[in-house]
Amino acid sequence: MIVPLRGDRHYAERALVALRRLELRPGDELIVADNTPEGVAAPVLGSVARVVSAAGQPSSYFARNSGVAAAGADWLLFIDADCVPVADLLDRYFAEPIGERCGAVAGGIVGIADQDSLLTRYARDRNFLDQAEGMHGSAGVAAATGNLLIRRTTFAELGGFADGIRSGGDVDFCWRMRKRGWTLEQRPEARVEHHHREDLASFLGMIARYGAGSRWLNERHPGTAPRWPLVHGLVGTTWDVGAHLVRGRLEPAAFRVLDGLGLVAHNLGYRASNEVG
């Protein structure tokens, strides 16, 4: 299992709590790819995982590639440091046989239930990061590296993730994989819980980053990730907000306001570079 870590000691301590609960068998590897320039992971996580430095680029995909370089297993499981896995995550992935031409298996990603701010309720309502019907499209098309199992031979054949970028590397990998004849399977019961963002500025920054990744994907795979239509989308959002308010439906109205803000952020991000600074 490979976990990229960015952020401060707080993220490392939260990852420690999550990783300690995992049930591992002999031969399983737990690797944390420390993407921080300060090297915050080793003092906190060194007791439960092998920590490898991945400070060469401030890119989570560079960190994941660095983690793979240190791994020896035939299957590579990627989760994020802000995700809490079920204890028997590995057993759930391998509970059923995996097809011979399956290059990757997408586990489930759900929001942590006790997060109850407006933004976290919105993220759960909109199925953010849902591997079947969320931001990556319908099941079998692409999946997020927040919880993704990849066959090592497939990873090697594709040359790993594109690094030097901020967003979109997981989608790009899945699309390249499928073009090579590998399939993407689903294991929703192999679940992690994701800490959704709870402040508006951070949330909109995330959406803008997704926008930059979408333009990069559209340039790399022409026609696959066009810019979201801004004017048409805002007109529809404004109409819906008014209709909800007339009916006294405050939370749905607030959710549509967040849809509109996210639309603006995505469009702004679409104009920005996806390269890491």
Side-chain angles (χ1 to χ4, degrees):
M1 178 180 296
I2 299 165
V3 184
L5 178 70
R6 290 194 69 187
D8 54 21
R9 186 181 177 91
H10 167 72
Y11 284 91
E13 291 173 346
R14 190 161 66 183
L16 176 64
V17 174
L19 296 179
R20 272 182 170 166
R21 65 183 297 182
L22 275 171
E23 298 172 359
L24 301 177
R25 297 175 183 266
D28 291 339
E29 301 172 298
L30 184 54
I31 297 172
V32 173
D34 190 345
N35 202 212
T36 68
E38 302 86 2
V40 302
V44 179
L45 292 161
S47 62
V48 298
R50 178 181 177 188
V51 177
V52 298
S53 175
Q57 292 179 13
S59 164
S60 62
Y61 303 107
F62 175 81
R64 294 181 181 103
N65 288 338
S66 299
V68 171
D74 292 334
W75 285 94
L76 308 163
L77 175 57
F78 299 90
I79 68 170
D80 286 347
D82 56 2
C83 290
V84 180
V86 293
D88 59 342
L89 178 66
L90 295 173
D91 288 340
R92 293 188 186 199
Y93 263 113
F94 294 102
E96 299 292 335
I98 299 174
E100 291 185 4
R101 288 302 297 172
C102 174
V105 185
I109 304 178
V110 299
I112 291 179
D114 60 3
Q115 282 189 294
D116 198 38
S117 67
L118 177 67
L119 275 175
T120 57
R121 294 198 304 275
Y122 169 76
R124 288 197 298 269
D125 184 80
R126 295 301 192 256
N127 292 322
F128 268 59
L129 297 181
D130 184 283
Q131 299 279 52
E133 300 297 336
M135 297 181 68
H136 294 90
S138 58
V141 175
T145 39
N147 187 16
L148 184 63
L149 180 71
I150 298 179
R151 191 187 296 269
R152 189 184 189 93
T153 52
T154 308
F155 192 89
E157 180 181 318
L158 271 65
F161 297 109
D163 57 24
I165 58 171
R166 299 187 294 146
S167 182
D170 42 12
V171 176
D172 168 68
F173 181 91
C174 291
W175 288 351
R176 288 189 289 123
M177 179 186 75
R178 292 172 61 235
K179 287 179 180 178
R180 293 287 190 97
W182 295 98
T183 62
L184 174 65
E185 294 186 3
Q186 298 279 328
R187 293 285 194 280
E189 65 279 4
R191 187 181 69 253
V192 302
E193 294 184 335
H194 178 258
H195 288 271
H196 289 308
R197 298 169 189 263
E198 300 199 57
D199 65 282
L200 184 61
S202 176
F203 174 79
L204 294 178
M206 176 187 69
I207 299 299
R209 177 166 53 82
Y210 290 160
S214 292
R215 191 183 78 171
W216 176 82
L217 285 167
N218 202 52
E219 292 170 349
R220 196 169 170 91
H221 308 273
T224 58
R227 181 179 61 83
W228 293 352
L230 180 60
V231 175
H232 177 77
L234 288 178
V235 169
T237 297
T238 303
W239 177 269
D240 290 345
V241 169
H244 285 311
L245 289 176
V246 166
R247 293 171 174 79
R249 302 175 61 190
L250 299 184
E251 182 152 290
F255 285 0
R256 289 298 281 142
V257 169
L258 290 171
D259 285 340
L261 292 174
L263 179 60
V264 172
H266 194 276
N267 271 262
L268 291 173
Y270 205 88
R271 298 173 181 271
S273 172
N274 194 38
E275 295 182 3
V276 295

